[in-house]
Amino acid sequence: MTDSAPAIFTADDYRARMARAAGAAADAGLAGLLVAPGPDLVWLTGYTPPAVTERLTLLVLVPGREPVLVVPALEAPDAERAVGAPAFTLREWTDGTDPYSLTAGLLDPEGGLGVSDNAWALHLLALQRALPDLSYAALTDALPMLRAVKDPAELELLAAAGAAADAAFEEIRGLLFTGRREHEVGRDLAELLRRFGHSQVDFTIVGSGPNGANPHHEVGDRIIQRGDMVVLDFGGLKDGYGSDTTRTVHVGEPTEEERRVHDVVRAAQEAGFRAVRPGATCQDVDRAARAVIEDAGYGPYFIHRTGHGIGVTTHEPPYMIEGEEQPLVPGMCFSVEPGIYLPGRFGVRIEDIVTVTEDGGRRLNNTTREMVVVD
Ligand code: ZN
Ligand code: ZN
Ligand code: ZN
């Protein structure tokens, strides 16, 4: 499920994005890109079909040619209303005709194609039968950085989504935790995100006590108790752009060990943030954060990558992970979210979305990273 496109973009913005994508495809030696409904299609055209069904909707981008959107005839009126519609040509097909041979007619019969990650197998397999001599690659593998560098309007929307998530945290920290179940606090977080303008909530993680030590834990029935560390990780889409932030709070006064672990994670998050600058690589950010945790003796308890990109989805390239040598470029947006997870006991994670500027990084989340004591 993707959000509809925000109104601030114009047909010219979508024309420029499609031209950039076709250029990137040509640079990568691809004959074209096939984009099914989902985040890539929204980003490229501003179009979200009324429903994603077995009827083929597909954007066909071929370097040097006009973009074409293949649509079922009954959905053509919807496609014509998309903000980006002036920037592409519609090719309608009616029930009983073959949309795959129509699509094949738009492409050269050989070369490689990038296909959006979320295209249905139903459609891709039929296209492969119609174009047996082409090769196919997932768009994220073929052009991982296609959506990675955000323009100023996108950055504004990401900053607004971050500010809304921050406002949700400022409210939740004042509410009662003791005696309430994780899923009740999670429901509060979801309501707050919506109240501050989110149209879609992607996750509300409430990991109390030992549940916080499992980074995959979402919410459960556990009753939150005095003495618990509670990992709060939440986000979604506001005006089509994502938020994702984590703060770890403590119910009542923390122990010395809990403070120490939280301090280490906070220092690691700071080190990761400070490593953000144009030309540094993604793995430099991971290494900077990880070094702080390793030096403090908690290396084996930091069990995930340091961050992921964010944009029209809440998880996308670039990934801040060892081995990712992609250089950082101004306009990239991603999380810096180190954590320490002590099995059976508690976890701590601190996460901000950060964007690369001309001379460093800028945080899009700005609530305190000191440990907050809640009731
Ligand atoms: Zn405690
Ligand atoms: Zn998160
Ligand atoms: Zn995240």
Side-chain angles (χ1 to χ4, degrees):
M1 186 58 213
T2 39
D3 213 21
S4 56
I8 72 165
F9 298 114
T10 65
D12 281 343
D13 291 318
Y14 294 112
R15 191 173 282 114
R17 286 179 193 173
M18 285 190 279
R20 175 150 48 114
D27 290 348
L30 294 171
L33 303 178
L34 302 178
V35 184
D40 292 307
L41 188 66
V42 170
W43 185 78
L44 286 164
T45 67
Y47 179 51
T48 302
V52 180
T53 70
E54 74 290 353
R55 288 193 176 98
L56 181 73
T57 294
L58 196 69
L59 177 70
V60 180
L61 288 180
V62 176
R65 294 187 207 156
E66 284 298 303
V68 176
L69 186 69
V70 175
V71 285
L74 73 172
E75 292 171 15
D78 295 293
E80 278 164 8
R81 280 195 294 273
V83 179
F88 55 75
T89 304
L90 273 189
R91 287 295 297 273
E92 302 175 29
W93 63 274
T94 50
D95 286 352
T97 65
D98 181 0
Y100 306 108
S101 59
L102 187 161
T103 303
L106 300 169
L107 293 156
D108 293 331
E110 51 195 32
L113 293 174
V115 183
S116 55
D117 297 11
N118 60 332
W120 286 15
L122 175 75
H123 299 313
L124 180 56
L125 292 169
L127 284 162
Q128 287 179 319
R129 281 194 297 273
L131 290 161
D133 296 327
L134 278 101
S135 63
Y136 300 80
L139 196 51
T140 290
D141 291 333
L143 301 176
M145 297 303 145
L146 180 62
R147 302 195 319 250
V149 177
K150 275 66 184 180
D151 66 32
E154 291 185 289
L155 287 175
E156 223 171 277
L157 290 165
L158 284 159
D166 286 356
F169 177 74
E170 294 298 351
E171 290 276 322
I172 203 83
R173 65 179 279 188
L175 300 183
L176 185 68
F177 281 69
T178 311
R180 300 180 68 220
R181 293 182 192 275
E182 289 176 348
H183 64 74
E184 297 176 283
V185 175
R187 196 186 51 214
D188 286 349
L189 273 172
E191 276 172 17
L192 286 165
L193 285 172
R194 290 206 169 85
R195 195 206 297 168
F196 292 113
H198 282 61
S199 59
Q200 180 180 318
V201 176
D202 284 4
F203 44 87
T204 55
I205 294 175
V206 181
S208 69
N211 289 342
N214 171 9
H216 291 297
H217 176 81
E218 279 243 350
V219 293
D221 284 337
R222 188 175 181 280
I223 295 173
I224 299 168
Q225 300 157 24
R226 249 190 119 64
D228 281 352
M229 282 282 212
V230 186
V231 177
L232 302 169
D233 183 351
F234 49 96
L237 296 183
K238 176 183 187 296
D239 296 326
Y241 279 77
S243 70
D244 183 5
T245 185
T246 307
R247 292 294 183 263
T248 303
V249 300
H250 192 271
V251 187
E253 274 309 305
T255 65
E256 209 168 296
E257 182 197 21
E258 287 168 333
R259 274 205 185 282
R260 188 170 66 242
V261 172
H262 192 276
D263 281 348
V264 172
V265 174
R266 185 157 57 96
Q269 208 279 341
E270 183 68 25
F273 169 68
R274 288 185 182 282
V276 175
R277 78 182 76 86
T281 66
C282 291
Q283 74 177 0
D284 290 338
V285 177
D286 183 79
R287 285 176 179 177
R290 199 167 299 276
V292 172
I293 290 176
E294 280 172 357
D295 289 351
Y298 291 101
Y301 304 104
F302 178 16
I303 51 181
H304 55 74
R305 66 192 174 207
T306 293
H308 56 82
I310 189 167
V312 293
T313 72
T314 45
H315 282 89
E316 60 188 45
Y319 295 103
M320 304 302 119
I321 189 170
E322 180 66 32
E324 178 53 85
E325 293 176 359
Q326 167 69 40
L328 300 181
V329 175
M332 282 183 174
C333 258
F334 48 82
S335 68
V336 178
E337 52 175 308
I340 292 175
Y341 308 92
L342 303 177
R345 300 185 59 212
F346 65 90
V348 174
R349 180 166 64 257
I350 300 174
E351 172 179 24
D352 286 336
I353 300 303
V354 171
T355 183
V356 185
T357 63
E358 292 302 326
D359 55 1
R362 174 166 72 96
R363 296 180 194 270
L364 303 186
N365 295 106
N366 293 288
T367 57
T368 182
R369 285 175 299 281
E370 306 274 342
M371 184 155 53
V372 169
V373 173
V374 298
D375 290 326

